[in-house]
């Protein structure tokens, strides 16, 4: 039995608290907030939960890792390196892998989480790009997302370089060469970061500070701002019955979205731990400690910086001597200028497209289907193709050895493909978008084929059709106006008018 006096007292207490601090009203409004239930909106959550796994495993690893570059004699459990001089960082990495209970599992879970984190951010950005979710009022949130991607790349490279093995040391050597290619200030930048001539004794401790303190702090801060803006600006959603530019349709934060999101977090964490247990990654003991006079055969970086490796391999050995200074165009252009241009385009694209389409004048809360924006979709596929060619070029030696192809011939194939393939991808994608729109309009106009064929009075044969009853998310319910088909000029979708199906609901 519940005492009524207790209920009255509790209500009075709640009212007194809300009168001074409106927790109940604010929480109630927050718990009723709608979230789309389509799977594509969960990609950002995968990145968030991967980041949580990264933080938890990273905190555990800091208890055992020693960011030192002074030489020590290895006395651990890995017999092939027993008695060999190694750096303190490499020694502690082997200690975590072989002598700490669960150490190798935590190391590999941390590495797998880093790969999934960067991949999830990249795919999430692609979803936002192809659906037009970067438009007003979400331009700044797009810029924050791109910045998060840049910070994730830097964080991944810093962590990748900490073990001081032969593979990561080769990557640092390439990074130093990129610094030296910067005109005038390149040598100063290299000396500032490394503390002396390469490899020095300061780079690993400095990368360690960046990896565990500065970059994670910036990531967590920007993720927090990003989530606050998502809540404040509300989610985009697909077109459909009851879906308007002025509302948000989906399931409430509590309990439906909370339950599905919790399940996703457990699934992501479990998958990362399972990968760490069964899929070996970054076996530093096989590479051995870093030595400046050695390089690992067939060494490849993690996938997210593979495009930089590919761009370095494709540019011819161009150099210019100017006033006693050597400009290394074969390093400066692919490793400094190209990434800067790529990210500049990503930052500027929302503002440029909205100016060209005139959509900057009003807020946009409805998602576009990629086929409705042939130009934007073509540009996105061209960019992916460009990145894919660079990624493949980053492993041209491995590809050449695997398929018994000349490395020189393969390099020229990639050079030509880097120019031709994105252009072809753009035109093919744009044509495919128009073809899909045409087929969709034909389906809405004539209906779905039933498979029945009947003879007409004139002696001909016609196939039977029935009205369309199933629709994909965001698909129109009736044929669009023939006056302005989707994608007629800028790829802007034609305005949808509610048909009978809308009114019946």
């Amino acid at each position: 039995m519940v005492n009524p006096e207790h209920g009255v007292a509790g209500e009075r207490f709640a009212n007194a608290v809300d009168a001074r601090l409106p927790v109940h009203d604010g929480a109630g409004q927050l718990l009723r907030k709608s979230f789309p239930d389509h799977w594509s909106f969960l990609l950002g959550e995968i990145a968030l939960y991967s980041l949580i796994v990264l933080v938890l495993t990273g905190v555990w690893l800091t208890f055992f890792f020693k960011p030192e570059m002074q030489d020590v004699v290895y006395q651990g459990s890995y017999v092939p390196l027993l008695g060999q001089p190694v750096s303190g960082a490499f020694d502690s990495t082997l200690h975590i892998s072989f002598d700490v209970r669960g150490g190798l599992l935590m190391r590999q879970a941390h590495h797998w989480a880093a790969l999934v984190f960067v991949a999830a951010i990249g795919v999430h950005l692609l979803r936002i790009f192809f659906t037009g979710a970067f438009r007003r009022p979400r331009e700044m949130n797009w810029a924050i997302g791109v910045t998060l991607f840049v910070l994730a790349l830097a964080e991944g490279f810093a962590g990748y370089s900490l073990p001081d093995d032969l593979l990561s040391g080769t990557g640092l050597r390439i990074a130093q060469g990129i610094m030296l290619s910067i005109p005038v200030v390149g040598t100063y930048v290299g000396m500032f970061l490394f503390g002396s001539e390469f490899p020095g004794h300061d780079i690993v401790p400095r990368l360690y500070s960046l990896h565990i303190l500065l970059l994670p702090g910036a990531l967590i801060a920007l993720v927090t701002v990003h989530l606050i803006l998502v809540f404040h600006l509300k989610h985009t959603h697909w077109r459909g019955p009851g879906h308007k530019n002025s509302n948000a349709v989906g399931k409430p934060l509590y309990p439906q979205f909370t339950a599905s999101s919790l399940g996703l977090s457990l699934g992501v964490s479990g998958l990362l731990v399972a990968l760490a247990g069964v899929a070996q990654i970054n076996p530093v003991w096989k590479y051995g400690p870093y030595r400046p006079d050695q390089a690992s055969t067939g060494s490849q970086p993690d996938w997210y910086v593979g495009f930089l490796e590919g761009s370095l391999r494709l540019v011819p050995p161009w150099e210019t001597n100017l006033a006693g200074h050597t400009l290394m165009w074969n390093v400066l252009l692919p490793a400094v200028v190209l990434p800067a241009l790529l990210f500049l385009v990503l930052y500027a694209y929302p503002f440029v497209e909205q100016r060209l389409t005139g959509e900057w004048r009003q807020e946009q809360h409805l998602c576009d289907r990629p086929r409705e924006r042939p130009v934007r979709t073509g540009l996105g596929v061209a960019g992916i193709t460009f990145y894919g060619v660079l990624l493949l070029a980053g492993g041209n030696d491995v590809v050449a050895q695997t398929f018994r192809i000349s490395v020189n011939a393969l390099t020229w194939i990639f050079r030509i493909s880097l120019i031709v393939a994105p252009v072809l991808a753009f035109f093919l994608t744009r044509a495919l978008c128009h073809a899909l729109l045409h087929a969709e309009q034909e389906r809405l106009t004539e209906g779905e084929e039933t498979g029945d064929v009947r003879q007409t009075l004139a002696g001909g044969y016609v196939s039977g059709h029935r009205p369309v009853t199933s629709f994909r998310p965001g698909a129109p319910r009736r044929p669009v106006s023939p006056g302005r088909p989707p994608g007629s000029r800028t790829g802007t979708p034609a305005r949808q008018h509610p048909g009978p199906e809308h009114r019946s609901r």
Side-chain angles (χ1 to χ4, degrees):
M1 296 291 292
V2 178
N3 191 333
E5 295 182 357
H6 292 171
V8 173
E11 184 176 356
R12 289 176 179 174
F13 176 78
N15 292 335
V17 172
D18 281 340
R20 295 163 177 80
L21 187 64
V23 176
H24 183 268
D25 291 340
Q29 184 179 3
L30 178 64
L31 295 178
R32 291 190 299 270
K33 185 173 179 62
S34 297
F35 283 81
D37 55 0
H38 193 260
W39 64 268
S40 62
F41 292 89
L42 300 177
L43 297 171
E45 292 186 53
I46 295 177
L48 175 62
Y49 298 136
S50 300
L51 177 61
I52 293 175
V53 175
L54 268 173
V55 172
L56 294 177
T57 54
V59 169
W60 188 91
L61 290 172
T62 57
F63 293 125
F64 304 97
F65 182 75
K66 298 177 182 178
E68 301 172 356
M69 297 192 70
Q70 288 77 15
D71 286 342
V72 298
V73 178
Y74 179 69
Q75 299 293 337
S77 302
Y78 188 64
V79 176
L81 289 177
L82 194 62
Q84 296 295 319
V86 298
S87 67
F90 188 79
D91 180 75
S92 64
T93 303
L94 293 186
H95 176 70
I96 294 172
S97 302
F98 295 106
D99 300 315
V100 176
R101 187 181 296 274
L104 183 58
L105 180 69
M106 298 297 283
R107 264 198 66 233
Q108 298 202 146
H110 189 72
H111 202 127
W112 277 115
L115 297 182
V116 174
F117 176 59
V118 180
I121 294 178
V123 179
H124 181 56
L125 286 173
L126 289 177
R127 197 277 299 177
I128 293 174
F129 177 84
F130 284 115
T131 61
F134 53 76
R135 294 171 295 176
R136 180 180 177 185
R138 298 175 179 83
E139 299 96 335
M140 294 311 300
N141 226 10
W142 166 266
I144 290 174
V146 175
T147 305
L148 282 171
F149 188 62
V150 176
L151 291 176
L153 295 179
E155 175 76 341
F157 180 77
Y160 174 84
S161 305
L162 290 180
D164 197 34
D165 60 294
L166 187 57
L167 187 60
S168 65
T170 303
L172 282 175
R173 185 62 163 173
I174 296 174
Q176 191 231 12
I178 295 173
M179 298 173 198
L180 295 178
S181 70
I182 303 175
V184 182
V185 300
T187 54
Y188 298 98
V189 173
M191 289 292 291
F192 173 76
L193 292 178
F194 286 88
S196 63
E197 291 291 339
F198 181 86
H201 287 82
D202 296 335
I203 186 62
V204 168
R206 291 176 178 178
L207 288 176
Y208 184 70
S209 299
L210 287 173
H211 185 69
I212 71 167
L213 182 62
L214 298 180
L215 291 176
L219 281 170
I220 294 173
L222 285 180
V223 167
T224 303
V225 175
H226 182 74
L227 293 177
I228 290 174
L229 287 177
V230 168
F231 273 78
H232 175 69
L233 300 174
K234 77 182 182 181
H235 272 283
T236 56
H237 55 137
W238 296 107
R239 293 183 180 87
H243 295 221
K244 303 177 182 178
N245 204 40
S246 58
N247 67 354
V249 179
K251 51 188 176 183
L253 174 63
Y254 181 84
Q256 287 91 337
F257 181 78
T258 302
S260 61
S261 185
L262 179 61
L264 180 63
S265 67
L266 296 176
V268 170
S269 303
L271 179 61
L272 291 174
V273 174
L275 282 172
V278 301
Q280 180 176 270
I281 188 170
N282 199 25
V284 296
W285 53 90
K286 290 187 176 181
Y287 309 135
Y290 178 67
R291 287 181 51 181
D293 61 332
Q294 293 181 354
S296 178
T297 303
S299 59
Q300 304 293 321
D302 281 341
W303 71 268
Y304 47 83
V305 290
F307 77 101
L308 279 178
E309 178 80 11
S311 62
L312 284 168
R313 298 188 183 195
L314 290 187
V315 177
W318 294 335
E319 293 182 357
T320 300
N321 293 318
L322 183 63
H325 296 277
T326 300
L327 297 179
M328 300 182 297
W329 300 111
N330 57 324
V331 179
L332 180 65
L333 290 178
V336 179
V337 177
L338 177 62
L341 290 177
L342 289 178
F343 284 104
L344 180 62
V345 169
L346 289 178
Y347 279 113
Y349 186 85
F351 305 96
V352 174
E353 183 193 282
Q354 290 184 103
R355 282 288 176 176
L356 293 177
T357 59
E359 292 179 322
W360 60 275
R361 296 184 178 90
Q362 62 181 4
E363 295 185 356
Q364 305 290 334
H365 299 291
L366 294 174
C367 289
D368 294 326
R369 294 183 304 154
R371 69 182 65 180
E372 296 173 342
R373 298 293 185 118
V375 175
R376 179 204 296 156
T377 304
L379 290 174
V381 174
I384 295 173
T385 304
F386 186 83
Y387 175 85
V389 173
L390 290 179
L391 188 63
L392 287 174
N396 61 350
D397 53 340
V398 177
V399 175
Q401 183 180 14
T402 302
F403 294 97
R404 300 296 188 268
I405 304 174
S406 168
V407 175
N408 293 330
L410 190 62
T411 299
W412 274 104
I413 291 174
F414 283 137
R415 286 173 178 171
I416 298 173
S417 299
L418 189 64
I419 300 173
V420 176
V423 177
L424 292 178
F426 171 80
F427 286 107
L428 288 175
T429 302
R430 191 179 64 170
L432 179 61
C433 289
H434 285 297
L436 289 173
L437 288 171
H438 177 75
E440 186 175 65
Q441 294 306 306
E442 183 178 0
R443 176 172 174 264
L444 291 173
T445 303
E446 300 180 0
E448 294 178 328
E449 293 186 0
T450 62
D452 299 330
V453 179
R454 56 187 176 84
Q455 188 174 20
T456 64
L457 294 176
Y461 292 90
V462 295
S463 58
H465 292 79
R466 60 172 176 264
V468 179
T469 56
S470 61
F471 303 92
R472 294 180 178 272
R477 262 57 177 179
R478 60 177 299 177
V480 298
S481 172
R484 187 189 179 195
S488 57
R489 180 173 61 87
T490 61
T492 305
R495 188 172 183 176
Q496 300 292 330
H497 298 282
E501 301 85 351
H502 291 69
R503 300 189 186 98
S504 65
R505 298 193 181 195

